[in-house]
């Protein structure tokens, strides 16, 4: 049974910081590309950041320089450090794991709310 569980969401003021964590169970997270997605009401789900190794990183233009994705393979987790948050970052954030070695395999977390408001 594979499970991805997000934590660390909540309410934060503009300019503040928040750290999201994704804990995987039932599989070796390091074998998968890990991603953070977000979806705001009425908008498409978008890729925020992804990581396979520390040299294979991707970020959405809107978060470059503010967000940092990292992983700790000893703990089977992936984190998203979010700094200088603004109201446009408000969304439900989802953790994702993906690989396509023998066939496409993809897992999703339940999602957590991040609200940036004064």
């Amino acid at each position: 049974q594979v499970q991805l569980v997000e934590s660390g969401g909540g309410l934060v003021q503009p300019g503040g910081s928040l750290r999201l964590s994704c804990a995987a169970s039932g599989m070796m997270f390091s074998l998968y590309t890990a991603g953070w997605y977000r979806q705001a009401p009425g908008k498409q789900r978008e890729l925020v950041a992804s990581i396979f190794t520390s040299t294979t990183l991707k970020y959405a233009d809107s978060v470059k320089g503010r967000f940092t994705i990292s992983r700790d393979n000893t703990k089977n987790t992936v984190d998203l450090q979010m700094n200088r948050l603004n109201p446009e970052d408000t969304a439900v954030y989802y953790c994702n794991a993906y690989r396509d070695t023998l066939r496409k395999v993809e897992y999703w977390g339940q999602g957590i709310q991040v609200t940036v408001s004064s």
Side-chain angles (χ1 to χ4, degrees):
Q1 181 178 334
V2 173
Q3 191 172 27
L4 301 177
V5 179
E6 302 101 333
S7 62
L11 175 65
V12 66
Q13 293 185 340
S17 297
L18 211 57
R19 189 177 185 91
L20 305 181
S21 294
C22 177
S25 60
M27 57 85 158
M28 289 182 60
F29 213 169
S30 62
L31 300 180
Y32 296 76
T33 296
W36 284 97
Y37 290 74
R38 68 185 182 187
Q39 187 168 28
K43 295 186 177 295
Q44 299 262 20
R45 184 175 299 187
E46 65 171 342
L47 176 67
V48 176
S50 67
I51 183 173
F52 185 58
T53 71
S54 61
T55 60
T56 53
L57 304 170
K58 293 183 179 180
Y59 295 97
D61 288 341
S62 60
V63 308
K64 285 181 180 177
R66 300 190 297 122
F67 291 10
T68 302
I69 190 170
S70 62
R71 71 193 315 169
D72 186 341
N73 292 333
T74 67
K75 297 194 294 184
N76 225 34
T77 60
V78 173
D79 288 0
L80 183 68
Q81 178 66 46
M82 304 184 293
N83 298 325
R84 302 191 303 280
L85 287 160
N86 58 64
E88 290 69 49
D89 296 315
T90 295
V92 176
Y93 284 70
Y94 297 89
C95 180
N96 167 268
Y98 176 85
R99 70 172 181 174
D100 61 358
T101 49
L102 298 177
R103 71 180 196 278
K104 181 182 177 180
V105 179
E106 189 170 35
Y107 302 104
W108 291 92
Q110 295 290 95
I112 49 171
Q113 179 70 45
V114 171
T115 302
V116 185
S117 176
S118 59

